[in-house]
């Protein structure tokens, strides 16, 4: 009985070598199956040794390159069967630390903003935010517009997508041009760049940075940067001395951009508190154009029933992350002269084009604001 019991114990404790066929009955495993099982056991031992090695290095403050390569996934979309995940969580558990704290202790995550950005990237850009190289194909040369256009943007703007022009026609009349950057001129159906655009749909903006919709060479090729003729879709209106406007004229053309005005530079000389013209002095290029455009914008607001000089001040707030990781909040008055003239010109262009689409029974996508209740 003792020998039988010992034999059964040995058989039960060696399932790799013997299969149980019935009560007290065992069968030796086939040779090929035994080889596979032994290989699996050896592989598991090696994996456990690898996990232990990585975990020890992490506890010493070192980040193994294999774990660094998987860290975004480990922190934000973990595969709990992955060896790197098991090693990382084992080290965090041994140190009584959270995964994020361990990542920061090893220097793999430098800041909370980086951690949040990585999480956004893993969720929305699982293949990464980079671009394959895509050359800009040749497109039909465009006629050059006989205007000197200028843009108005924030200091941080690197993709200049709209500009304005003002041409004096005499007798108090002006011709205004609203010019929109036109990278679509080089986008063909089914092309690689179209696939990227359809996948991204928009540039992603966040405090301290952005993820662009287009590759850098496309941005450089079509941004309305000063000093050259740039491809644009233009709409022109003739405006008389009473601010009545003509029927629009539409063109696809190359527009010369004479200036990229920056709000931070011009607003100290062009605001509701100190005035728009600093006692008649020209404080920056196109200053007089902006004065006239603001007058025209106010007339447009009155036409649309949106002019309200008694409205109490309202403010917009922008959030920036400084290099040291601190948050800075900047306040700007909503409806400032610069905001008013830019927004009214864009409303004029977009509402005109929307009317054209409607008249021709064509669909369009619009971003709208709800009306006052």
């Amino acid at each position: 009985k003792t020998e039988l019991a010992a034999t059964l114990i040995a058989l039960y404790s060696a399932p790799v070598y013997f299969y149980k066929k019935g009560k007290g009955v065992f069968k030796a495993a086939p040779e090929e199956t035994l080889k596979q099982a032994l290989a699996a056991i050896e592989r598991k031992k090696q994996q456990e040794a690898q996990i232990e090695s990585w975990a020890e290095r992490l506890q010493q403050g070192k980040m193994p390159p294999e774990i660094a390569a998987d860290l975004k996934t480990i922190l934000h979309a973990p595969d709990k069967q992955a060896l790197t995940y098991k090693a990382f969580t084992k080290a965090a558990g041994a140190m009584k630390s959270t995964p994020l704290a361990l990542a920061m202790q090893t220097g793999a995550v430098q800041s909370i903003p980086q951690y949040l950005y990585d999480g956004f990237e893993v969720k929305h850009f699982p293949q990464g935010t980079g671009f394959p190289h895509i050359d800009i194909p040749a497109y039909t040369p465009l006629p050059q517009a006989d205007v000197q256009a200028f843009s108005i943007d924030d200091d941080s703007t690197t993709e200049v997508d709209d500009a304005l022009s003002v041409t004096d026609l005499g007798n108090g009349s002006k011709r205004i041009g609203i010019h929109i950057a036109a990278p679509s001129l080089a986008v063909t159906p089914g092309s690689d760049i179209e696939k990227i655009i359809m996948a991204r749909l928009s540039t992603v903006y966040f405090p301290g940075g952005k993820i662009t919709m287009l590759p850098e060479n496309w941005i450089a090729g079509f941004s309305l940067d000063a000093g050259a003729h740039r491809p644009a879709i233009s709409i022109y209106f003739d405006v008389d001395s009473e601010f009545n406007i003509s029927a629009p004229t539409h063109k696809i053309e190359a527009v010369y951009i004479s200036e990229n005005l920056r709000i931070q530079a011009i607003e100290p000389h062009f605001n509701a508190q100190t005035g728009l013209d600093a006692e008649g002095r020209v404080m920056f290029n196109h200053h007089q154009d902006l004065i006239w455009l603001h007058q025209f914008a106010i007339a447009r607001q009155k036409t649309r029933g949106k002019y309200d000089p008694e409205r109490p001040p309202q403010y917009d707030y922008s959030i920036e992350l400084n290099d040291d990781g601190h948050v800075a909040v900047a306040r700007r008055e909503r409806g400032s002269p610069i905001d008013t003239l830019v927004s009214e010109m864009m409303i004029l262009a977009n509402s005109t084009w929307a009317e054209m689409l409607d008249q021709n029974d064509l669909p369009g996508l619009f971003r709208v604001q709800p009306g006052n209740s």
Side-chain angles (χ1 to χ4, degrees):
K1 291 183 178 181
T2 302
E3 292 178 354
L4 179 59
T7 300
L8 289 173
I9 292 172
L11 291 170
Y12 275 110
S13 63
V16 172
Y17 294 91
F18 298 96
Y19 294 162
K20 185 179 178 182
K21 300 295 291 180
K23 186 175 181 180
V25 178
F26 292 83
K27 181 181 179 181
E31 181 179 358
E32 188 60 32
T33 303
L34 179 59
K35 288 180 179 179
Q36 294 176 0
L38 292 174
I41 291 173
E42 181 60 27
R43 185 166 56 250
K44 185 174 182 180
K45 287 181 180 179
Q46 293 175 357
Q47 291 175 346
E48 291 294 337
Q50 181 65 83
I51 291 171
E52 187 64 33
S53 174
W54 284 338
E56 289 178 359
R57 292 177 64 187
L58 286 165
Q59 292 176 66
Q60 295 168 3
K62 301 175 183 178
M63 174 60 70
E66 298 87 350
I67 291 183
D70 288 351
L71 188 59
K72 291 181 183 180
T73 301
I74 291 170
L75 292 175
H76 300 286
D79 173 6
K80 296 185 178 181
Q81 299 305 312
L83 300 185
T84 50
Y85 172 83
K86 292 179 179 180
F88 196 81
T89 53
K90 182 173 183 176
M95 298 172 68
K96 295 182 171 54
S97 175
T98 65
L100 174 58
L102 177 56
M104 297 186 75
Q105 288 171 17
T106 58
V109 172
Q110 299 292 325
S111 64
I112 294 299
Q114 180 198 337
Y115 170 75
L116 297 174
Y117 175 89
D118 289 345
F120 181 87
E121 182 179 311
V122 167
K123 181 176 181 180
H124 297 284
F125 294 87
Q127 305 303 317
T129 59
F131 293 94
H133 180 76
I134 301 177
D135 289 323
I136 299 174
Y139 52 91
T140 303
L142 301 173
Q144 293 187 353
D146 187 23
V147 298
Q148 299 280 310
F150 55 91
S151 65
I152 306 173
D153 290 287
D154 189 86
D155 271 344
S156 61
T157 300
T158 57
E159 300 167 80
V160 181
D161 55 14
D162 56 69
L164 305 170
S165 63
V166 180
T167 304
D168 190 355
L169 300 178
N171 299 319
S173 297
K174 307 277 189 181
R175 176 170 296 152
I176 62 166
I178 303 166
H179 314 282
I180 309 300
S184 57
L185 292 173
V187 178
T188 55
S191 62
D192 290 340
I193 192 65
E194 186 196 52
K195 293 174 183 176
I196 288 175
I197 292 170
M198 295 305 295
R200 299 204 176 197
L201 296 179
S202 174
T203 291
V204 177
Y205 295 92
F206 57 90
K210 62 184 176 181
I211 303 169
T212 60
M213 179 178 69
L214 294 174
E216 286 295 327
N217 63 316
W218 281 70
I219 293 172
F222 290 97
S223 178
L224 302 182
D225 296 336
H229 285 84
R230 304 292 183 181
I233 298 173
S234 301
I235 183 170
Y236 293 94
F237 299 89
D238 289 352
V239 185
D240 66 21
S241 59
E242 301 298 321
F243 297 120
N244 299 306
I245 64 174
S246 69
T249 300
H250 316 273
K251 295 182 179 181
I252 299 176
E253 57 188 0
V255 177
Y256 186 80
I257 309 300
S258 65
E259 195 86 21
N260 293 134
L261 299 175
R262 299 300 180 177
I263 291 173
Q264 287 83 349
I266 67 176
E267 196 164 46
H269 313 293
F270 193 84
N271 60 72
Q273 287 71 41
T274 63
L276 306 184
D277 59 0
E279 300 179 351
R281 290 181 294 165
V282 175
M283 304 299 292
F284 51 88
N285 291 339
H286 298 285
H287 192 165
Q288 293 301 317
D289 290 334
L290 263 62
I291 292 171
W292 184 87
L293 282 170
H294 182 259
Q295 295 169 350
F296 177 54
I298 295 299
R300 294 300 306 166
Q301 283 189 335
K302 291 178 179 178
T303 299
R304 299 192 305 112
K306 296 296 184 179
Y307 182 62
D308 182 10
E310 304 301 323
R311 188 191 72 177
Q314 296 178 308
Y315 299 94
D316 290 321
Y317 296 87
S318 61
I319 300 173
E320 297 181 358
L321 294 177
N322 297 327
D323 293 338
D324 59 4
H326 287 84
V327 176
V329 179
R331 186 180 78 165
R332 288 188 69 245
E333 183 176 354
R334 185 183 302 173
S336 68
I338 292 175
D339 291 347
T340 297
L341 74 87
V342 171
S343 63
E344 285 299 320
M345 295 309 101
M346 295 305 119
I347 290 171
L348 176 59
N350 288 330
S351 61
T352 302
W353 282 327
E355 186 177 2
M356 288 178 58
L357 290 173
D358 182 62
Q359 290 172 350
N360 290 277
D361 197 27
L362 295 172
L365 294 176
F366 298 92
R367 182 177 66 183
V368 299
Q369 295 177 341
N372 295 328
S373 57

